[in-house]
């Protein structure tokens, strides 16, 4: 999948925003850069469907051999779907972070947080600066 | 601490040029991994892993009284150590708390003259050097060889064959916990049959200027048999599976050897600092080191609290996903009454309780 129309949070989540029946739906995942850095993935805790999440707050967890990391909601809204096949196929994230690697879909209730997200070029620049 | 002030081993340039992700480890810039912790771990269990352990401190003691002097500092008797033998032991404070776990080697130079070698944890180098210097006997000369030498661990079922290619003389005659001087790639060094992974293997000590040549020769041979350079990440999962304690985690100045399950490293038939305190401790009242296997996929990590019901009973000292067992495992300390095999304990994983079972240590033992 092309990353051209994706937005990125500084906490390494990617977001694809689509309109559906007048609502804005955000599909959220973890960037390929972050997957590469986490490396040996062992566990993913998905957000519960129906949960109200707030931009910038933890709504999932991912474990590598080395460490556990929070996954932060990049937008505010309700989780309407979670990728239940993903926790048993974590290795696939290394090949497919931006398509089958989606984690959850959030029906956006307040789109103000979208303004804080970066495009791919801005995100790549941030990653390069972090080293 | 900025990267400019970190110490570098003689192999630093190789690590940096070959994908080593460098981190600060007790003041040294060390590779945590090259490709993946799991790849490096499995390569060591199945073939061979190469480890730069040059950050560990290497001390030499000369003089007739050297072994007797060290005997008074370590829990394990070493005064009777025959030439070519190595012993694991603990350096304790007067109150029995552990200052470090160390290896003492009785070696001989090419003239047959005895000397003593000691390997100390990187983070405890200055502390132990100060402890030694404050007590040093007049007939013992103490020198720190850490920065003039490199140490490379070669570990795994193919380790002996790989190392033999570089070393003059048959190293298969060396038994576990034996060591000697050796000619390694035509330069003078030490070979010792020790390690920290639960696998067979050797640790080679060579002059700093020969380190890259020795490492590269080992690396070529290792790669041909499915081996790998291994960083600190997999070194930690390997030693955790083998249930080897790590200073700063299972061992500290607040923990005594009696709690740590290191009875084999104690000999009561000699005098050593801390002996009097350790003899009077009520052993049964102290927390003991246990092994845990999680009942689900959450990974227990250092400092996670351990509970029995609502009672806080201890904490995790080391934990990780075990690549060999494909399950999350941990070591920790709890009161003796919770330490029986099969006991179910809760681990607090970031605010949620997850069940774990007490299992015998080690988690992994080579066949």
């Amino acid at each position: 999948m092309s990353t051209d129309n994706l937005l990125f949070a500084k906490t390494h989540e990617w977001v694809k925003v689509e309109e559906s029946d007048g609502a804005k739906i955000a599909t959220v995942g973890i960037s390929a850069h972050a997957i590469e850095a986490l490396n040996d993935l062992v566990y993913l805790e998905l957000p519960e469907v129906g949960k109200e999440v707030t931009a910038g707050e933890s709504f999932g967890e991912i474990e590598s051999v080395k460490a556990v990391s929070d996954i932060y909601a990049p937008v505010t809204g309700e989780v309407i779907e979670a990728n239940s096949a993903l926790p048993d196929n974590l290795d696939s994230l290394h090949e497919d972070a931006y398509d089958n690697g989606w984690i959850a879909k959030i029906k956006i209730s307040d789109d103000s947080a979208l303004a804080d997200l970066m495009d791919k070029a801005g995100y790549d620049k941030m990653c390069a600066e972090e080293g | 601490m900025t990267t400019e002030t970190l110490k570098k081993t003689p192999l630093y340039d190789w690590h940096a040029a070959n994908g080593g992700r460098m981190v600060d480890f007790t003041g040294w810039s060390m590779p945590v991994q090259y490709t993946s912790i799991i790849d490096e771990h499995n390569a060591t269990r199945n073939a061979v892993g190469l480890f730069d352990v040059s950050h560990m401190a290497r001390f030499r003691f000369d003089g007739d009284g050297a072994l007797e002097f060290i005997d008074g500092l370590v829990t394990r008797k070493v005064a009777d150590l025959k030439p070519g033998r190595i012993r694991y032991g603990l350096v304790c404070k007067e109150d029995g708390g552990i200052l470090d776990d160390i290896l003492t080697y009785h070696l001989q130079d090419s003239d047959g003259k005895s000397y003593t070698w000691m390997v100390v944890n990187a983070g405890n180098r200055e502390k132990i050097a100060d402890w030694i210097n404050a007590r040093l006997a007049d007939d013992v000369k103490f020198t720190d060889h850490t920065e003039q030498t490199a140490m490379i661990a070669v570990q795994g079922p193919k380790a002996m064959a790989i190392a033999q290619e570089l070393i003059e003389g048959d190293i298969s005659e060396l038994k576990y916990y034996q060591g000697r001087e050796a000619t390694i790639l035509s330069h003078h060094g030490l070979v010792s049959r020790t390690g920290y992974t639960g696998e067979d293997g050797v640790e080679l000590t060579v002059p700093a200027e020969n380190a890259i040549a020795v490492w590269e020769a080992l690396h070529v041979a290792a790669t041909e048999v499915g081996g790998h350079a291994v960083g600190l990440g997999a070194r930690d999962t390997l030693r955790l599976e083998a249930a080897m304690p790590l200073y700063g985690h299972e061992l500290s100045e607040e923990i005594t050897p009696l709690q740590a399950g290191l009875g084999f490293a104690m000999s009561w038939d000699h005098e050593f600092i801390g002996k009097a305190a350790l003899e009077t401790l009520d052993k049964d009242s102290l927390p003991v080191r246990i092994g845990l296997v999680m009942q689900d996929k959450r990974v227990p990590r250092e400092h996670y609290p351990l509970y029995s019901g609502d009672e806080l009973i201890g904490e995790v000292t080391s934990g990780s996903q075990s690549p060999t067992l494909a399950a999350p495992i941990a070591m920790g300390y709890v009161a003796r009454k919770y330490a029986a095999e099969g006991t179910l304990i809760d681990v607090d994983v970031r605010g949620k309780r997850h069940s774990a079972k007490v299992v015998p240590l080690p988690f992994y033992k080579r066949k």
Side-chain angles (χ1 to χ4, degrees):
Chain A
M1 176 173 131
S2 163
T3 54
D4 292 349
N5 56 354
L6 299 185
L7 297 170
F8 291 83
K10 61 180 189 293
T11 47
H12 302 284
E13 293 81 13
W14 60 261
V15 183
K16 182 171 73 172
V17 181
E18 290 165 309
E19 300 268 348
S20 172
D21 293 337
K24 278 186 180 172
I25 309 294
T27 304
V28 178
I30 303 170
S31 79
H33 173 87
I35 297 294
E36 168 72 21
L38 289 165
N39 203 316
D40 296 301
L41 302 173
V42 296
Y43 177 80
L44 170 69
E45 184 164 284
L46 296 169
E48 281 173 33
V49 173
K51 188 181 175 172
E52 297 286 341
V53 298
T54 305
E57 293 184 3
S58 173
F59 83 135
E61 294 179 39
I62 189 158
E63 302 242 21
S64 69
V65 171
K66 213 162 44 198
V68 57
S69 310
D70 283 304
I71 306 167
Y72 296 96
V75 295
T76 297
E78 181 194 347
V79 177
I80 55 167
E81 207 178 334
N83 187 354
S84 56
L86 194 58
D88 293 325
N89 296 288
L90 292 176
D91 285 346
S92 71
L93 278 171
H94 285 283
E95 288 86 47
D96 202 5
Y98 298 119
D99 197 354
N100 291 318
W102 68 277
I103 288 170
K105 297 187 186 202
I106 300 170
K107 187 176 172 187
I108 298 173
S109 59
D110 171 0
D111 64 5
S112 60
L114 291 174
D116 298 331
L117 302 176
M118 294 169 267
D119 63 10
K120 182 70 164 49
Y123 176 71
D124 286 346
K125 185 164 175 284
M126 183 195 84
C127 292
E129 283 164 3
E130 281 182 353
Chain B
M1 184 177 277
T2 64
T3 47
E4 281 74 21
T5 62
L6 291 178
K7 291 191 277 290
K8 293 173 179 175
T9 79
L11 294 166
Y12 173 87
D13 289 344
W14 192 94
H15 303 316
N18 287 275
R21 192 185 296 169
M22 307 307 284
V23 298
D24 175 0
F25 181 79
T26 67
W28 291 80
S29 179
M30 298 299 292
V32 65
Q33 67 187 50
Y34 302 87
T35 55
S36 131
I37 291 174
I38 290 177
D39 285 352
E40 293 165 28
H41 181 108
N42 290 338
T44 307
R45 289 270 180 260
N46 300 325
V48 61
L50 299 184
F51 305 74
D52 179 8
V53 289
S54 306
H55 59 310
M56 297 189 75
R58 289 171 293 285
F59 297 157
R60 176 172 169 144
F61 300 82
D62 288 279
D64 293 339
L67 270 180
E68 287 287 346
F69 167 68
I70 296 165
D71 199 68
L73 300 182
V74 296
T75 56
R76 190 87 167 272
K77 194 170 184 173
V78 294
D80 62 347
L81 207 51
K82 291 189 177 71
R85 303 279 173 157
I86 304 165
R87 249 172 227 166
Y88 176 84
L90 301 152
V91 179
C92 289
K93 295 186 294 180
E94 298 287 355
D95 69 2
I98 300 169
L99 287 167
D100 201 10
D101 61 335
I102 60 141
L103 289 174
T104 306
Y105 302 51
H106 183 176
L107 297 173
Q108 284 180 319
D109 65 18
S110 49
D111 298 329
K113 192 167 172 297
S114 280
Y115 63 98
T116 308
W117 193 253
M118 185 188 282
V119 175
V120 168
N121 280 299
N124 292 332
R125 179 178 167 193
E126 287 177 21
K127 181 175 78 174
I128 297 297
D130 289 348
W131 190 257
I132 289 164
N133 277 319
R135 291 162 179 79
L136 200 61
D138 289 339
D139 60 347
V140 181
K141 186 178 162 223
F142 166 57
T143 42
D144 184 333
H145 287 248
T146 311
E147 289 176 34
Q148 294 88 341
T149 55
M151 185 156 65
I152 299 167
V154 191
Q155 295 275 296
K158 299 191 175 160
M160 295 298 281
I162 299 291
Q164 182 67 73
E165 292 179 29
L166 282 66
I167 300 171
E168 282 182 20
D170 184 5
I171 58 166
S172 70
E173 289 172 4
L174 275 183
K175 295 191 178 73
Y176 198 47
Y177 274 76
Q178 292 188 353
R180 62 170 167 83
E181 294 195 349
T183 302
I184 303 168
L185 269 191
S186 74
H187 292 280
H188 186 73
L190 294 178
V191 54
S192 49
R193 198 162 182 180
T194 51
Y196 193 56
T197 62
E199 297 300 325
D200 194 8
V202 288
E203 291 183 328
L204 307 182
T205 304
V206 298
E209 56 272 24
N210 303 131
I212 291 213
V214 170
W215 177 275
E216 284 184 336
L218 289 166
H219 191 254
V220 167
T223 305
E224 283 172 3
V225 295
H228 212 293
V230 182
L232 294 174
R235 184 167 167 83
D236 196 50
T237 53
L238 288 158
R239 71 92 198 168
L240 173 61
E241 286 182 352
M244 292 168 169
L246 175 60
Y247 200 85
H249 297 254
E250 286 71 40
L251 309 180
S252 74
E253 293 187 28
E254 282 67 52
I255 293 171
T256 66
L258 304 179
Q259 298 163 254
L262 297 175
F264 76 92
M266 309 297 295
S267 27
W268 300 101
D269 59 343
H270 78 125
E271 293 305 314
F272 59 89
I273 296 171
K275 183 182 178 186
L278 290 168
E279 279 177 330
T280 59
L281 279 179
D282 175 11
K283 198 177 160 192
D284 292 337
S285 72
L286 297 171
V288 289
R289 180 157 67 105
I290 56 161
L292 292 170
V293 173
M294 298 301 288
Q295 304 296 290
D296 63 19
K297 290 185 177 177
R298 291 316 299 262
V299 183
R301 300 185 191 275
E302 191 184 5
H303 301 312
Y304 281 8
L306 299 174
Y307 285 90
S308 177
D310 289 330
E311 188 190 353
L312 178 66
I313 60 167
E315 68 171 29
V316 171
T317 48
S318 296
S320 188
Q321 175 76 7
S322 160
T324 305
L325 277 63
I329 60 171
M331 293 193 284
Y333 283 91
V334 296
R336 195 168 290 271
K337 66 176 173 175
Y338 301 108
E341 185 181 339
T343 305
L344 289 174
I345 283 175
D346 281 340
V347 182
D348 184 326
V349 179
R350 313 182 92 211
K352 283 185 196 155
R353 304 283 172 87
H354 293 259
S355 184
K357 188 153 78 178
V358 177
V359 297
L361 295 174
F363 301 98
Y364 165 85
K365 203 167 188 178
R366 127 176 85 99
K367 291 184 185 74

